[in-house]
Amino acid sequence: MEDSYKDRTSLMKGAKDIAREVKKQTVKKVNQAVDRAQDEYTQRSYSRFQDEEDDDDYYPAGETYNGEANDDEGSSEATEGHDEDDEIYEGEYQGIPSMNQAKDSIVSVGQPKGDEYKDRQELESERRADEEELAQQYELIIQECGHGRFQWALFFVLGMALMADGVEVFVVGFVLPSAETDLCIPNSGSGWLGSIVYLGMMVGAFFWGGLADKVGRKQSLLICMSVNGFFAFLSSFVQGYGFFLFCRLLSGFGIGGAIPTVFSYFAEVLAREKRGEHLSWLCMFWMIGGIYASAMAWAIIPHYGWSFSMGSAYQFHSWRVFVIVCALPCVSSVVALTFMPESPRFLLEVGKHDEAWMILKLIHDTNMRARGQPEKVFTVNKIKTPKQIDELIEIESDTGTWYRRCFVRIRTELYGIWLTFMRCFNYPVRDNTIKLTIVWFTLSFGYYGLSVWFPDVIKHLQSDEYALLTRNVQRDKYANFSINFTMENQIHTGMEYDNGRFIGVKFKSVTFKDSVFKSCTFEDVTSLNTYFKNCTFIDTVFDNTDFEPYKFIDSEFKNCSFFHNKTGCQITFDDDYSAYWIYFVNFLGTLAVLPGNIVSALLMDRIGRLTMLGGSMVLSGISCFFLWFGTSESMMIGMLCLYNGLTISAWNSLDVVTVELYPTDRRHRVLPCCPGWS
């Protein structure tokens, strides 16, 4: 009984193996026949096309070929060269089918339609499905690649770019007091110098974010940082106020692409469980940029001896040296970026599968070698790539001129960037876009507004203290005198100076009101915040002075002479220690960000992004409210440090939330909104 059961089992097993092998061989032969038939079909089509061309060339116009068809030529070639086993096709060649016939035949056999028969909505729906599948697969691939040497190298390279952004923000506030004096900027025009960089950052973030989806994260970041470095360096040499504003505008336009591109670039090589923590650590470079700018301003700007001049028309003061030094992080980031690869996630989005696979393999091998596991193999062979939707661009290549073609290309690219931006306001991300825009605007308005405003606040508080020490001199007369010392914090009202000599005098915060200068001489005189209001000058000589016309307010000149007058505003920090104090205060305010950065990096993944964002904004808003009651320098400094330390956690969590809420092709559209709107 047992033997018969074993025999039946062996027989059934053998039968199944035979059936499996027959099925395998049948499928193989069918596939071979299909491939052979397709090749022969293509060959016959080409031969028929060639024969028709030969017939048209051989027979004159108006004549037709009326001969009978050769039976051999009309017979099917489908079975030519086939053996008996492969002879499964028969029938004669019917010619190339028309488009409608092909379409009907495809639909009739139940096969899916080709892309040429689908509208854009269907293609976009398929692309979204592919992107969702890619997102899941890509997360698994990044986890297999691990977190190690490659991510840390990219961390420091992108950190330099983020550091350059922080430097650019603080440069404006540090340069503003000195540039106002050096460039003769009136009080009504000083506001432009504080806001022009942010205007450029707003426009630049919109433009570079769109370009990053067209040419790649690396290329976009390289170009925008190069633009920033070039115009920041150029702005340190220009003399005119208008040209200086133009250079700072383009410098801000370049740096505007740093924040959206840096965070997207780094997030695309991080696994989700590592993303919150390491993006928060990356934000520390922005703080380091602020510390660097504060330290350089404190060490460079107050040193008037660092400046030089070429005649009276070209002045290169210490604040210009500071601007050059602040461009160094940008230059360093450009050099380092040239050695880093493109984002593999971006390459997959645009259909460049092989390039993305090579970079992912590079990430895997780099991390494995650093761990001491070089033998570990990258097991991924095929990665899902989203369906590519072609965009046709009509360009007059034959009849149009070169500038016309360039204009069409630029217009098309800008229109594509605009369409991508508008996708952020489509379902299902529209609500997120509106909410995040409000949060970005309010946070930027408070933080950047205080950064620009605070140096002037310290300056005005010090001016108020100087006003208490100002000595008022009224209704007095001086004759036949000579002065060669520094006059500071004085107001002279209704004075008469007769035959007086002001030789090598330094006027600091001195005002003359309703005074008369008769037969006086001003020689080698420098002035700072010095004005003559409603004064009269009779037979007076000005030799090698820096008295510009704007310093004489409603004044009258009778038989006066000006010799070797210094053009341009003169700036000096000799014996002026208030500048040291301003930059030191900003250094402390920037350094106060460090504890907030550490706390946000350690707690980001534990308490959640939104909890940290809401708590940080509430606490920083309360601390900002108490700035209203600040009446002394020490109180203002303490409240500023507290505000900076609390608000940095909101910045870090907002960066992470924005990156994670949007897909790869849209996260550049919302991150850009942050810097410029303040």
Side-chain angles (χ1 to χ4, degrees), residues 13 35 42 71 73 101 109 140 159 174 178 263 323 352 364 377 403-404 454 462 493 519 534 576 622:
K13 183 177 181 181
D35 294 338
T42 304
D71 293 339
E73 293 177 355
Q101 291 175 349
V109 298
L140 297 176
F174 295 149
S178 304
F263 283 103
V323 172
K352 297 181 179 180
H364 175 274
V377 179
Y403 56 85
R404 171 69 177 172
F454 199 75
Q462 291 176 343
T493 305
S519 301
N534 196 28
D576 186 6
I622 294 174

Side-chain angles (χ1 to χ4, degrees), residues 596-611:
N597 257 313
I598 297 175
V599 170
S600 63
L602 296 177
L603 300 180
M604 181 73 70
D605 294 323
R606 297 184 180 181
I607 67 175
R609 283 80 157 137
L610 295 180
T611 302

Side-chain angles (χ1 to χ4, degrees), residues 395-398 400-410:
I395 299 179
E396 302 175 2
S397 58
D398 296 331
T401 57
W402 65 270
Y403 56 85
R404 171 69 177 172
R405 294 194 295 270
C406 291
F407 172 75
V408 172
R409 288 186 182 276
I410 294 174

Side-chain angles (χ1 to χ4, degrees), residues 61-339:
E63 297 185 10
T64 58
Y65 175 67
N66 296 322
E68 295 181 0
N70 192 323
D71 293 339
D72 295 336
E73 293 177 355
S75 63
S76 173
E77 297 175 358
T79 61
E80 183 178 349
H82 289 204
D83 55 21
E84 293 181 356
D85 295 334
D86 294 337
E87 193 172 341
I88 62 175
Y89 288 91
E90 60 181 14
E92 295 188 3
Y93 170 67
Q94 301 297 329
I96 301 175
S98 64
M99 185 66 68
N100 294 331
Q101 291 175 349
K103 182 177 179 180
D104 294 339
S105 63
I106 291 175
V107 175
S108 63
V109 298
Q111 295 180 357
K113 296 190 297 183
D115 290 347
E116 62 270 18
Y117 306 118
K118 299 178 182 178
D119 58 15
R120 189 173 184 87
Q121 186 175 3
E122 290 179 312
L123 294 175
E124 290 181 350
S125 178
E126 293 182 9
R127 179 177 174 84
R128 284 194 295 269
D130 292 342
E131 288 175 346
E132 293 177 0
E133 183 178 348
L134 171 61
Q136 298 175 0
Q137 185 184 9
Y138 189 81
E139 180 66 24
L140 297 176
I141 295 173
I142 289 296
Q143 291 178 1
E144 180 179 347
C145 292
H147 187 91
R149 178 179 295 175
F150 179 86
Q151 281 82 359
W152 284 112
L154 186 63
F155 173 80
F156 286 105
V157 172
L158 297 180
M160 293 297 295
L162 201 59
M163 178 180 173
D165 180 87
V167 169
E168 190 69 22
V169 170
F170 285 95
V171 162
V172 178
F174 295 149
V175 164
L176 190 59
S178 304
E180 285 178 353
T181 304
D182 191 19
L183 298 176
C184 305
I185 302 174
N187 292 331
S188 59
S190 61
W192 275 107
L193 185 58
S195 60
I196 196 71
V197 174
Y198 298 105
L199 177 63
M201 291 173 70
M202 181 182 68
V203 178
F206 175 82
F207 176 79
W208 297 115
L211 190 66
D213 290 330
K214 296 289 184 180
V215 302
R217 281 56 164 143
K218 174 185 173 181
Q219 294 300 324
S220 176
L221 192 58
L222 274 174
I223 298 172
C224 74
M225 298 302 293
S226 299
V227 170
N228 168 251
F230 175 77
F231 285 101
F233 183 80
L234 183 63
S235 66
S236 65
F237 293 96
V238 299
Q239 295 293 304
Y241 178 51
F243 197 18
F244 181 78
L245 283 180
F246 177 75
C247 290
R248 298 313 301 180
L249 173 66
L250 294 182
S251 176
F253 174 77
I255 202 62
I259 285 183
T261 309
V262 161
F263 283 103
S264 298
Y265 192 177
F266 195 48
E268 290 169 1
V269 296
L270 292 174
R272 177 170 177 80
E273 63 269 13
K274 299 283 186 179
R275 196 173 298 153
E277 177 184 354
H278 286 82
L279 286 179
S280 297
W281 289 120
L282 184 65
C283 292
M284 290 189 63
F285 281 94
W286 197 91
M287 175 206 67
I288 295 173
I291 294 176
Y292 174 82
S294 302
M296 292 299 102
W298 185 25
I300 295 175
I301 295 181
H303 293 281
Y304 182 72
W306 289 31
S307 64
F308 66 90
S309 61
M310 291 184 292
S312 59
Y314 188 86
Q315 304 288 333
F316 194 90
H317 296 296
S318 56
W319 69 269
R320 298 179 183 272
V321 179
F322 166 71
V323 172
I324 295 178
V325 172
C326 286
L328 295 180
C330 180
V331 177
S332 301
S333 66
V334 170
V335 174
L337 272 171
T338 58
F339 298 97

Side-chain angles (χ1 to χ4, degrees), residues 618-676:
V618 170
L619 294 177
S620 60
I622 294 174
S623 64
C624 185
F625 173 76
F626 284 101
L627 287 172
W628 176 268
F629 303 99
T631 56
S632 63
E633 291 184 41
S634 58
M635 184 175 180
M636 294 292 290
I637 293 169
M639 296 308 300
L640 175 69
C641 293
L642 180 61
Y643 175 81
N644 289 349
L646 292 173
T647 194
I648 193 62
S649 298
W651 279 111
N652 296 350
S653 55
L654 187 58
D655 290 333
V656 177
V657 168
T658 306
V659 169
E660 293 181 341
L661 280 182
Y662 287 84
T664 305
D665 61 337
R666 300 190 206 181
R667 62 175 59 123
H668 286 84
R669 304 279 71 76
V670 178
L671 270 172
C673 299
C674 50

